[in-house]
Amino acid sequence: MLIEIPELLNPAQIDKIREILEGAEFVDGRLTAGMAARRVKANEELAQDPQIQHA
């Protein structure tokens, strides 16, 4: 389900997000899915940045 929140971001923020996403690498969403979900998951996700350390 998608929920629309009108005017949440201003035009400059939207432009910045688009700029970032234009150069982003996307990977198969099944890479992060559990065994059962891999069979049905059909999406792409932003590739993880190897420079970011996750706790």
Side-chain angles (χ1 to χ4, degrees):
M1 174 194 326
L2 297 176
I3 299 173
E4 184 177 335
I5 305 173
E7 300 178 33
L8 177 66
L9 302 172
N10 66 44
Q13 291 169 314
I14 293 170
D15 288 343
K16 183 63 176 176
I17 291 168
R18 287 184 174 146
E19 176 186 325
I20 292 168
L21 291 176
E22 281 178 9
E25 177 186 356
F26 288 83
V27 296
D28 191 334
R30 290 177 290 190
L31 296 174
T32 61
M35 292 301 287
R38 270 189 202 129
R39 293 181 288 162
V40 296
K41 193 170 183 182
N43 69 306
E44 290 187 338
E45 300 174 356
L46 281 172
Q48 291 188 7
D49 187 337
Q51 297 176 357
I52 298 175
Q53 297 294 324
H54 296 282

